[in-house]
C-alpha cells in the first residue's frame, strides 16, 4: 500500500494532523510503515498510528518508519494483535517550506511478523554496585514515616526522542542518587509497560508519564492515566488526567519556541517552574511567570533529559517530595499535597517548608529571599527561619538561586 503527494502550508493551516488510510486484512501478524520526504528543505513531518480501536503509537519526527507486531513494536508504538480494518497513519505537518514538501509513504502487512524484523530489545544493563547514600532531610516530625525523596519529573527515552532505554535511564538516575524518576516520553505511553520491572531491578521508583506535546506548549501528565490525546485542547488533557487519578503540569512555560501559549479555563495543579532552560538562576522570570499564571500552582522541577550535552542530567534540578512510601502513588500524593521543594543539585542546599517555618539545609552563609527580596542570612548547616507566604529562594553571593519552595 502506497501514498504519495505534497503537503503544503495550506494543509498545515487546515490542521496540524492528517491521516493516510492503510488496510490491514484479517490474519495479519505485523505492519511496517515507512515515510520518506526531503528534510533538507527544512520540512519536519511527524509520524504516528491509530488502529480501528484507537491509539497505537507516536514517534514525532524522531523516526521515519515503525513496525507493530503482536509481541514487539518499534519504541513509541504499542505491540499487540493487529485488528482487521482500516488503520490510519497519522502525519503531523509540523513545519512546511513555502513550496511544500513531497512525501511518499509505504505500508506492508504480513502474516509472519518475523519477516518485518521488529527491533530486538536491548539487553538490560546490570544494576550499579554502588549508589550514593540517600540524603536524609528533616521531615515533619508530627507525621511519622514520611521522608523526603529526591527525583526528577521530566525525562525521555528511546520511546520518543531520547537516546537511552528505560533501563539505561534508570541506571543513570540511580547513579546520580535519585529515588524516583518520571519517564515522560512525547505523546506516547509505550514506555509504561517497562517501568515496573526496571523499578524492581534497579531500586528506583519510576513514575509513568507522558509529555503531551504540541506547537503551543508541552504538559506533563503524571501517573498511570493511560494515553492523553494531544489533539484535544489542554482543558481536555487536564480533565482526563485528573479523572484517572493523575496530575498535570505545564512544562517549561518559558522556553523559547516551545513556551506555553495555550489558553485554559482552569489551571493545572503543577507548574514546572525550574527547568534547565532557566539559563541564568539570577533571573526572576520563573517566579514572575508562576505568580502571573497561578500563585497556588505547586512548583516542580525537571531536567528534560534526552541525551548528554543536549539538556541537563537527571536531577538537575532535583525535585524533593515528602512521601509516606516509595511507590508511584506515594510520590503523586506528596505532589498533590504540595509537599515539594526544588534544589539546583541533589547534594546542594535545600529549602523545605515545615508548616509556617522554613528549614534551610546545607545552606550556611546563603541568603534567604522572599516575596519582597532578601530577608535573612542562613546560619548553620540546618537553620529554622520564619516563613509566611512565599515563594522563597536560597541565593548565593551573586544572587543565583540554589533552592526554591513555596
Amino acid at each position: 500500500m502506497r501514498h504519495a503527494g505534497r503537503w503544503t502550508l495550506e494543509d498545515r493551516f487546515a490542521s496540524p494532523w492528517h491521516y493516510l488510510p492503510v488496510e490491514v486484512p484479517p490474519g495479519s501478524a505485523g505492519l511496517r510503515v515507512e515515510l520518506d520526504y526531503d528534510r533538507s528543505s527544512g520540512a519536519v513531518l511527524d509520524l504516528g498510528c491509530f488502529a480501528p480501536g484507537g491509539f497505537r503509537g507516536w514517534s514525532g519526527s524522531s523516526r521515519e518508519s515503525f513496525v507493530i507486531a503482536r509481541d514487539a513494536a518499534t519504541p513509541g508504538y504499542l505491540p499487540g494483535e493487529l485488528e482487521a480494518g482500516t488503520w490510519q497513519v497519522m502525519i503531523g505537518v509540523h513545519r512546511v517550506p513555502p513550496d511544500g514538501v513531497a512525501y511518499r509513504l509505504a505500508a506492508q502487512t504480513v502474516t509472519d511478523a518475523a519477516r518485518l524484523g521488529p527491533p530486538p530489545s536491548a539487553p538490560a544493563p546490570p544494576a550499579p554496585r554502588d549508589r550514593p547514600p540517600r540524603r536524609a532531610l528533616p521531615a515533619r516530625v508530627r507525621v511519622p514515616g514520611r521522608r523526603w525523596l529526591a527525583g526528577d519529573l521530566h525525562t525521555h527515552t528511546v520511546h520518543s526522542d531520547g537516546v537511552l532505554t528505560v533501563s539505561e535511564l534508570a541506571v543513570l538516575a540511580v547513579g546520580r542518587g535519585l529515588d524516583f524518576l518520571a519517564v515522560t516520553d512525547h505523546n506516547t505511553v509505550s514506555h509504561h509497560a517497562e517501568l515496573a520491572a526496571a523499578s524492581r531491578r534497579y531500586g528506583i521508583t519510576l513514575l509513568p508519564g507522558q509529555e503531551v506535546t504540541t506547537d503551543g506548549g508541552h504538559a506533563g501528565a503524571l501517573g498511570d492515566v493511560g494515553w492523553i490525546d494531544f489533539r484535544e485542547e489542554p482543558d481536555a488533557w487536564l480533565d482526563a488526567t485528573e479523572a484517572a487519578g493523575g496530575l498535570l503540569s505545564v512544562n517549561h512555560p518559558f522556553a523559547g519556541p516551545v513556551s506555553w501559549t495555550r489558553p485554559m479555563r482552569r489551571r493545572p495543579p503543577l507548574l514546572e517552574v525550574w527547568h534547565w532552560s532557566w539559563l541564568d538562576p539570577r533571573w526572576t522570570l520563573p517566579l514572575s511567570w508562576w505568580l502571573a499564571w497561578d500563585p497556588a500552582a505547586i512548583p516542580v522541577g525537571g531536567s528534560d533529559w534526552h541525551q548528554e550535552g543536549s539538556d541537563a542530567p537527571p536531577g538537575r534540578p532535583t525535585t524533593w517530595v515528602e512521601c509516606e512510601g516509595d511507590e508511584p502513588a506515594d510520590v503523586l500524593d506528596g505532589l498533590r499535597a504540595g509537599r515539594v521543594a526544588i534544589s539546583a543539585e541533589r547534594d546542594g542546599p535545600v529549602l523545605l517548608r515545615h508548616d509556617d517555618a522554613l528549614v534551610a539545609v546545607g545552606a550556611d552563609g546563603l541568603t534567604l529571599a522572599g516575596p519582597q527580596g532578601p530577608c535573612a542570612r542562613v546560619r548553620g548547616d540546618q537553620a529554622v527561619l520564619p516563613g509566611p507566604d512565599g515563594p522563597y529562594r536560597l541565593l548565593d553571593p551573586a544572587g543565583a538561586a540554589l533552592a526554591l519552595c513555596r
Side-chain angles (χ1 to χ4, degrees):
M1 291 162 281
R2 299 183 183 275
H3 293 275
R6 177 175 292 271
W7 299 114
T8 67
L9 281 172
E10 285 68 31
D11 293 320
R12 177 62 181 85
F13 301 154
S15 174
W17 303 290
H18 295 265
Y19 302 87
L20 301 174
V22 171
E23 294 300 323
V24 174
S28 297
L31 168 68
R32 181 179 181 85
V33 171
E34 296 183 351
L35 172 67
D36 181 41
Y37 69 97
D38 181 9
R39 290 177 177 247
S40 67
S41 66
V44 178
L45 300 180
D46 296 331
L47 187 60
C49 184
F50 289 83
F55 175 77
R56 290 301 291 264
W58 177 260
S59 51
S61 61
S62 298
R63 302 184 190 280
E64 293 182 355
S65 67
F66 64 82
V67 170
I68 298 176
R70 183 183 63 186
D71 299 320
T74 300
Y77 294 80
L78 303 179
E81 298 294 340
L82 269 69
E83 308 162 57
T86 302
W87 288 48
Q88 301 289 342
V89 175
M90 185 164 126
I91 304 296
V93 186
H94 180 63
R95 187 172 297 121
V96 184
D99 295 335
V101 57
Y103 74 90
R104 294 180 298 275
L105 185 130
Q108 176 190 9
T109 59
V110 297
T111 55
D112 179 6
R115 291 177 53 196
L116 296 179
S121 299
R129 289 187 175 183
D130 299 307
R131 64 189 301 169
R134 174 168 278 162
R135 191 171 179 189
L137 298 179
R140 291 166 174 82
V141 294
R142 61 185 179 84
V143 184
R146 282 188 186 167
R147 60 182 177 178
W148 289 94
L149 301 184
D152 191 327
L153 293 176
H154 189 170
T155 63
H156 299 278
T157 73
V158 294
H159 286 265
S160 59
D161 54 351
V163 299
L164 300 182
T165 65
V166 168
S167 292
E168 290 167 341
L169 177 61
V171 169
L172 175 62
V174 166
R176 292 185 55 80
L178 299 185
D179 305 306
F180 71 87
L181 193 74
V183 187
T184 55
D185 281 308
H186 296 283
N187 290 343
T188 189
V189 292
S190 59
H191 54 290
H192 288 194
E194 302 177 26
L195 299 182
S199 291
R200 291 190 298 269
R201 180 178 179 88
Y202 301 112
I204 184 171
T205 301
L206 296 179
L207 189 66
Q210 173 188 339
E211 187 168 22
V212 191
T213 305
T214 69
D215 273 356
H218 301 183
L222 303 177
D224 190 9
V225 301
W227 179 68
I228 302 299
D229 192 341
F230 57 91
R231 301 168 299 175
E232 302 286 345
E233 292 300 313
D235 289 296
W237 310 345
L238 178 57
D239 291 343
T241 301
E242 289 183 340
L247 295 170
L248 191 73
S249 168
V250 170
N251 284 355
H252 46 66
F254 43 90
V258 292
S259 298
W260 183 266
T261 62
R262 304 293 296 270
M264 296 189 74
R265 293 190 303 271
R266 62 191 182 95
R267 302 309 196 212
L270 307 180
L271 178 67
E272 192 179 60
V273 172
W274 200 327
H275 178 260
W276 75 262
S277 57
W278 189 2
L279 300 177
D280 187 337
R282 296 171 300 177
W283 295 345
T284 54
L285 172 62
L287 302 183
S288 64
W289 210 102
W290 171 19
L291 297 175
W293 172 255
D294 181 11
I298 297 164
V300 297
S303 66
D304 204 354
W305 164 261
H306 289 77
Q307 61 182 334
E308 185 176 357
S310 69
D311 316 293
R316 185 183 296 169
T318 297
T319 299
W320 297 90
V321 182
E322 191 183 39
C323 301
E324 297 183 10
D326 56 7
E327 295 297 321
D330 297 310
V331 177
L332 287 175
D333 286 346
L335 289 167
R336 188 177 289 110
R339 302 191 299 266
V340 179
I342 313 172
S343 61
E345 300 280 354
R346 185 261 193 187
D347 295 323
V350 182
L351 187 64
L352 308 173
R353 164 68 66 181
H354 280 197
D355 300 322
D356 294 329
L358 300 168
V359 179
V361 180
D364 185 36
L366 299 182
T367 296
L368 176 70
Q372 306 301 321
C375 56
R377 185 185 298 274
V378 178
R379 301 292 189 186
D381 190 58
Q382 184 168 308
V384 178
L385 301 158
D389 292 341
Y392 288 92
R393 292 166 293 150
L394 291 176
L395 307 180
D396 70 9
L402 300 180
L404 171 70
C405 75
R406 285 209 295 180

